[in-house]
Structure formats: structure tokens, C-alpha cells
Amino acid sequence: TKAALLEIAAERRDRVVVPELVAATTDADATVRQTAVRGLERLGGPAEVATLVAALVKAPEGGERSNAESAVVTVCTKNGGSAKAAETFLARFREAGEADREVLLPALGRIGGPGALAIVDELVASADEGRRQFGLKALTRWPDATVAGRIIDLRAKSPAGADRDTLLAA
């Protein structure tokens, strides 16, 4: 019942429900959490990014995490105040621990922008192979062609193997 009521309010684009959606992202019931995340995807703005990032980090792998990632990306790229929302996401990404960054990285790549690109460039240039792979993975999810030159250069400099195939696919 709670999920249905939240969904109805979100479909009506009634912003009065936003505080209830925020609170419901931590509900014990996965259906309620997912409904809340979908509602925030429609109605959320910069103020809800921290809540969505927390929901993404806590979400189990699979559909729930995918939905949370989609919500973060939508709020940071399409909703009103998206530039401010993207800044908030970048700040949360920088503050996150290494394990949480791994979960947030696909969203970072899909959000894009100059701030995200600076982080990705740092990761790609890292001597640590794991960090470098994180950076390459983010580049392959970039929302537009602004990184095409970087991808072509990286592919040309990479030895044969999985990196070259991944970069070619991007």
C-alpha cells in the first residue's frame, strides 16, 4: 500500500511527496525503496542527490542498483538544477571510500562533464592497474562524444587485449 501511494503521488508530480520519498529510500521493504527511488528520479533535484547516492551505494547488485543508478543519472543530467546536482554527485564521489566509488563509477561515467572528466583522467593516468581500469570503464559509459579523442588515443597506445577491445566498443 505504501509503495502504491508513493507511486501515485510521484506520477502526479506532486512535490509535496518528496520528503516521504526521501525517507522511503531506506525502508525495509525493497518494493517501497524502489518506488521511492523511481519517484525521486521524476521529482528529484540537487537536494535529493545525497539521498540517491546513499541508496545507490546500499542497493544490492541487480535491478535495485540499476534503478538507483538510473535515478542518479537522470537527476544529474535531465531534471531541473542538473548542473548543481552533478556538482553534488561529484562531491559525494570524491568523499566516498574506494568500495563505494566502485559502485558510483558507472554513474560518474554516464553523468560526464568536466568535473567527472578530471577524475577519470586521474584514474586513467594512475600507475595502479585497478584504478586505471576504473577510469577506462567510466570512459566507456560517457554520455556524449567529447571523450572520443581520448578513447582513440588510449586505444592506439594500449597493447593488444581486452583494453583495446573495450575501447573500440566505446
Side-chain angles (χ1 to χ4, degrees):
T1 303
K2 185 175 184 178
L5 291 172
L6 289 171
E7 187 162 356
I8 290 167
E11 283 181 14
R12 291 181 176 182
R13 296 208 160 293
D14 187 353
R15 293 206 41 83
V16 172
V17 77
V18 169
E20 285 79 13
L21 292 170
V22 167
T25 62
T26 59
D27 197 274
D29 184 337
T31 303
V32 172
R33 287 193 309 270
Q34 289 182 13
T35 300
V37 166
R38 282 192 308 271
L40 289 175
E41 182 172 12
R42 290 185 204 124
L43 302 173
E48 290 73 45
V49 170
T51 298
L52 288 169
V53 167
L56 174 55
V57 168
K58 291 178 184 173
E61 282 190 58
E64 189 171 350
R65 184 175 290 173
S66 178
N67 291 339
E69 180 184 323
S70 176
V72 169
V73 171
T74 298
V75 169
C76 292
T77 59
K78 296 179 182 166
N79 289 7
S82 60
K84 177 69 174 157
E87 289 174 20
T88 302
F89 176 81
L90 287 173
R92 293 290 175 170
F93 183 88
R94 288 182 184 109
E95 295 167 358
E98 198 65 32
D100 290 348
R101 281 185 174 196
E102 185 174 346
V103 173
L104 297 173
L105 187 69
L108 177 77
R110 290 178 57 204
I111 291 167
L117 188 55
I119 292 170
V120 170
D121 282 343
E122 179 184 314
L123 291 170
V124 169
S126 176
D128 179 87
E129 185 59 23
R131 291 176 55 84
R132 190 173 101 58
Q133 289 299 320
F134 279 155
L136 292 175
K137 185 177 180 182
L139 281 177
T140 65
R141 290 181 163 81
W142 214 256
D144 57 34
T146 58
V147 297
R150 281 180 170 81
I151 291 172
I152 291 168
D153 289 343
L154 287 167
R155 185 174 187 284
K157 294 174 186 174
S158 293
D163 283 357
R164 287 179 60 88
D165 294 341
T166 299
L167 292 167
L168 178 62

